[in-house]
Amino acid sequence: MKKIVFVGAGSVVFTQGLLADLVAFPELRGMRIALHDIDPERLRVAEAVARRITGHAAVVTSHLDRREALDGADFVINMVQVGGHDATVTDFEIPARYGLRQTIADTIGVGGVFRALRTFPLLDALAADISAVCPDALLLNYTNPMAMNVWYLSGKVKNVVGLCHSVYWTMRGLAELVSVPYEEVSYVAAGVNHQAWVLRFERDGEDLYPRLDVDDPELRRRVRIDMYRRLGYYPTETSEHSAEYVPWLMRHDREIDRLRIPVGEYVRISEDNLAEYRRTRDLVRNGGELDIAGTDEYAPQIIHSIVTGTPRVVYGNVVNDGLISNLPHGCVVEVPCAVDGTGVRPTAIGALPPQCAALNRGYVNVNELTVRAALEGDPRHVRHALMVDPNTAASLPLEDIWRMADDLTRAHGDLLPEALR
């Protein structure tokens, strides 16, 4: 049976959800699950959780050695967060000293850039191991910043797709908002990760967009609704995310209040994740019952489709080889992908609405300069990426941007590529 490797399996709660999704498919019974993490305690907890969830449905092994885990893999799921909670706090605290506000800080912006730079050395090592022991494996990346990481990996591994649940849960939320069962909705979205656009939203040929045009004062206090009203298309990530990818919100107290933007939100989320891990660890140690629930994530669906030939459509982050005509060739875009026994095939969308493409191009500029900084070993490009980042450029003068980059470089130290320290 197929071998599935979890890299960063110590992300126990996420690992638990993916395993629950996998064992829900009877056709995958007998699969081999190899868990890898560099933290021995987290790995032990992940293994205990995996054995409880899978029972006799899978053969579970755990490995501190990554290459050992990857040997003979068919699918590799990457969910590593390099630097963990401490690095996340650094990504918020240092910019805050300069007056720069962030909400999630994992996609673009200061937090996204430095999270990418911390992750690239891990991706180099992971790609080398895959090339050595499982070159035909499909790498399914969940690690943020999604677009930068997939762009960096392109050319380093044969098969990589970035996966994010933002489109799926956006459409779930929109269906609920307009009181239509999700199963009756048809839709198409495309753009870049965390800033794709709902291009079509229908039921039985009826355009459902007009149902969003209600005069609800509370609804208008959401960033995504505000963007939809002004741009004509709904963005596919939460308001917390969407607020920090544009230049006109985060620096203004009035907008923070009007749109109820939760500054510093991801620090709180990260603290909650740590607490949830500790709770799971203690339940495992004491023999308590785990709350096991599926998550409807794309990775298990892709694996099931490839193994069984079952056709599906998922949303994937892939290199733009003519898929979106008015975004740069070679960048990473998020588009619908057909999946079956032959693999994952991205769908060409054509041109995005010009206003949507214009915002996406600003996002892509940050991606490109960050990836170039690492590939070319040029620390100036780190600063250039921050200079063109919408929120950073709108909030800080250039001298502060460069000084902030210096401070973050010193703070993250050995986690960054050597040439960029």
Side-chain angles (χ1 to χ4, degrees):
M1 193 53 177
K2 299 297 184 181
K3 181 176 181 180
I4 306 163
V5 180
F6 287 57
V7 177
S11 178
V12 172
V13 177
F14 195 52
T15 295
Q16 179 176 312
L18 290 173
L19 287 169
D21 287 343
L22 285 166
V23 299
F25 294 117
E27 298 92 340
L28 297 181
R29 191 174 183 84
M31 60 189 162
R32 294 179 293 154
I33 302 291
L35 307 173
H36 163 68
D37 204 277
I38 61 172
D39 184 318
E41 181 194 78
R42 280 182 170 265
L43 185 59
R44 284 193 296 272
V45 175
E47 181 180 8
V49 168
R51 292 187 184 281
R52 285 203 197 183
I53 293 171
T54 60
H56 298 295
V59 177
V60 175
T61 59
S62 66
H63 310 264
L64 288 167
D65 184 274
R66 184 178 54 237
R67 186 168 291 197
E68 178 184 87
L70 289 167
D71 191 17
D74 299 288
F75 302 96
V76 180
I77 300 175
N78 178 44
M79 46 192 171
V80 173
Q81 182 182 342
V82 176
H85 176 71
D86 290 344
T88 295
V89 172
T90 297
D91 283 343
F92 277 87
E93 287 186 345
I94 289 177
R97 293 176 199 158
Y98 288 87
L100 180 64
R101 292 161 164 160
Q102 300 176 99
T103 52
I104 306 296
D106 71 352
T107 303
I108 56 173
V110 177
V113 167
F114 276 88
R115 183 181 283 232
L117 297 176
R118 295 194 302 273
T119 305
F120 290 164
L122 174 278
L123 296 182
D124 281 329
L126 177 60
D129 286 347
I130 289 173
S131 297
V133 299
C134 55
D136 295 321
L138 174 59
L139 174 56
L140 301 170
N141 179 70
Y142 275 105
T143 296
N144 283 316
M146 179 64 67
M148 295 192 212
N149 288 339
V150 175
W151 195 335
Y152 188 77
L153 281 164
S154 64
K156 294 178 180 287
V157 293
K158 286 173 63 176
N159 304 305
V160 58
V161 178
L163 301 178
C164 176
H165 51 221
S166 62
V167 172
Y168 173 76
W169 287 111
T170 290
M171 298 316 301
R172 280 276 187 186
L174 282 178
E176 182 178 349
L177 201 58
V178 300
S179 302
V180 174
Y182 172 77
E183 294 72 22
E184 298 178 15
V185 169
S186 63
Y187 58 89
V188 173
V192 291
N193 181 240
H194 292 172
Q195 199 187 60
W197 310 95
V198 180
L199 304 177
R200 196 179 77 226
F201 177 36
E202 299 174 347
R203 179 177 66 171
D204 296 331
E206 175 197 357
D207 182 5
L208 295 175
Y209 256 131
R211 297 197 186 192
L212 295 179
D213 299 332
V214 294
D215 191 15
D216 182 337
E218 287 303 300
L219 203 56
R220 286 172 177 260
R221 294 187 67 196
R222 295 186 188 179
V223 171
R224 290 205 282 181
I225 290 291
D226 199 55
M227 291 177 70
Y228 159 63
R229 288 176 54 231
R230 299 174 192 278
L231 297 168
Y233 294 90
Y234 199 80
T236 61
E237 192 40 272
T238 62
S239 289
E240 302 94 272
H241 276 278
S242 296
E244 63 182 1
Y245 308 149
V246 296
W248 54 77
L249 296 179
M250 297 297 293
R251 65 171 293 188
H252 300 292
D253 292 342
R254 184 180 66 185
E255 294 295 81
I256 296 286
D257 179 65
R258 178 176 74 90
L259 296 169
R260 300 172 291 190
I261 298 171
V263 175
E265 177 70 5
Y266 194 75
V267 173
R268 294 186 284 272
I269 292 172
S270 184
E271 290 168 350
D272 289 345
N273 289 341
L274 288 176
E276 183 63 20
Y277 163 72
R278 289 191 290 266
R279 187 185 75 83
T280 302
R281 179 199 61 196
D282 294 344
L283 282 172
V284 167
R285 287 176 175 174
N286 299 325
E289 290 295 319
L290 296 174
D291 183 16
I292 300 169
T295 55
D296 292 328
E297 287 288 348
Y298 286 139
Q301 296 177 47
I302 289 172
I303 292 168
H304 179 261
S305 286
I306 291 175
V307 171
T308 66
T310 304
R312 280 188 176 86
V313 173
V314 302
Y315 277 78
N317 291 270
V318 294
V319 172
N320 186 32
D321 185 13
L323 300 171
I324 297 180
S325 59
N326 53 352
L327 291 184
H329 178 84
C331 75
V332 170
V333 294
E334 190 165 74
V335 296
C337 297
V339 192
D340 58 22
T342 65
V344 181
R345 298 184 308 282
T347 301
I349 293 297
L352 295 176
Q355 68 275 27
C356 298
L359 276 178
N360 284 169
R361 283 193 290 268
Y363 172 118
V364 168
N365 290 339
V366 181
N367 288 184
E368 180 181 11
L369 287 164
T370 305
V371 172
R372 281 183 176 274
L375 293 178
E376 299 173 9
D378 188 344
R380 293 173 302 172
H381 282 333
V382 178
R383 282 77 181 162
H384 298 156
L386 300 181
M387 287 168 60
V388 301
D389 175 71
N391 180 37
T392 308
S395 301
L396 299 181
L398 282 175
E399 186 60 33
D400 282 356
I401 291 173
W402 282 62
R403 288 170 50 225
M404 178 179 61
D406 293 343
D407 289 349
L408 281 161
T409 300
R410 284 190 291 269
H412 288 306
D414 291 346
L415 294 178
L416 303 179
E418 186 174 357
L420 302 181
R421 296 172 196 166

